[in-house]
Amino acid sequence: MRIWVARPEPGATRTGAALAELGHAPLVAPVLAVRPTAAAPPMGPFAALLLTSANAVPAIRDAPALRGLPVFAVGARTAALARAAGLGPVREGPGDAAGLAGLVAATLPPGQPLLHATGAERKPEPAATLTAAGFRVTAFVAYRAEPLDRLPPAVGRELAENRLEAALHYSRRSAAVALALADGSEHGGAFRRLRHYCLSPDVAAPLEAAGVPVHFVAARPREADLLDALAGRPG
């Protein structure tokens, strides 16, 4: 299939390579541009660093104040990047923010101060659960994911020519932006006819709310489950 990968870099290129290995024809065209804020992290002390996205790692890897701080990473990819950047020691979560909160709560005593390196647009978790459990969570905006002004031209051309068959969605925000950009062009109808593969029910939510049929939603927020679905393998 010809598949649109709308997630930001650097993950988009990696996903495109994985799709090519499966015999698909990826169109790597992110709808969000991730940029570090260049802000310095707040002064501690902190008991641990929380990472809910791999996008935070390049923005904090050179911060001396964070060296040696225990890291709780949301999933395997974020954990691997944190280790490669020399952060940690790193503990790996199950792939979602709620699960990460559970791991932290099971590992650290309540009342500990935690630093969450996050994007400018963030969800309530894991801070909501951890705060309710007695932890003190400080958010540090390490990066911004800025939406494009218009649909990537290559995507518009292929939608117009009915060459695209599917789209992969890795975050709620990128799915919502992809939909908005398609609707803002003349290709909203073609976008809705694609087979949409989503990393989680949360990612699928903006598409389903707009009446866009979603072909597949991963039961676990793992890229491997999306690739298995594309390969016709059971999750």
Side-chain angles (χ1 to χ4, degrees):
M1 286 193 293
R2 183 65 163 156
I3 303 172
W4 177 19
V5 181
R7 70 182 304 195
E9 294 289 11
T13 294
R14 180 174 53 85
T15 297
L19 290 173
E21 289 181 2
L22 291 174
H24 295 291
L27 173 58
V28 176
V31 297
L32 297 172
V34 177
R35 299 182 176 91
T37 61
M43 297 297 293
F46 296 104
L49 173 66
L50 310 183
L51 299 177
T52 47
S53 172
N55 291 327
V57 175
I60 64 173
R61 64 185 308 158
D62 296 324
L66 302 182
R67 290 287 167 177
L69 195 62
V71 172
F72 289 83
V74 67
R77 176 64 179 169
T78 303
L81 289 177
R83 292 187 184 104
L87 300 173
V90 179
R91 295 181 70 101
E92 180 182 317
D96 62 272
L100 180 65
L103 174 62
V104 173
T107 306
L108 299 177
Q112 295 291 300
L114 307 172
L115 181 64
H116 180 197
T118 182
E121 300 283 337
R122 62 182 181 274
K123 301 173 187 175
E125 294 293 352
T129 295
L130 291 172
T131 299
F135 291 90
R136 292 174 286 141
V137 182
T138 299
F140 165 48
V141 178
Y143 66 93
R144 299 183 186 278
E146 300 174 353
L148 301 186
D149 294 331
R150 57 182 61 87
L151 194 70
V155 177
R157 288 193 298 269
E158 300 218 9
L159 286 173
E161 296 169 5
N162 293 313
R163 293 184 58 195
L164 276 180
E165 299 170 78
L168 294 189
H169 304 287
Y170 281 71
S171 75
R172 183 187 186 107
R173 188 158 181 244
S174 64
V177 170
L179 172 61
L181 293 178
D183 281 346
S185 68
E186 65 271 29
H187 306 301
F191 176 84
R192 283 166 164 75
R193 290 191 292 272
L194 298 177
R195 293 160 68 95
H196 294 278
Y197 291 76
C198 297
L199 190 65
S200 71
D202 182 65
V203 174
L207 300 177
E208 293 174 334
V212 178
V214 174
H215 179 73
F216 175 81
V217 179
R220 297 166 296 180
R222 304 193 314 171
E223 182 176 61
D225 287 13
L226 286 183
L227 299 180
D228 283 347
L230 287 164
R233 297 189 290 262

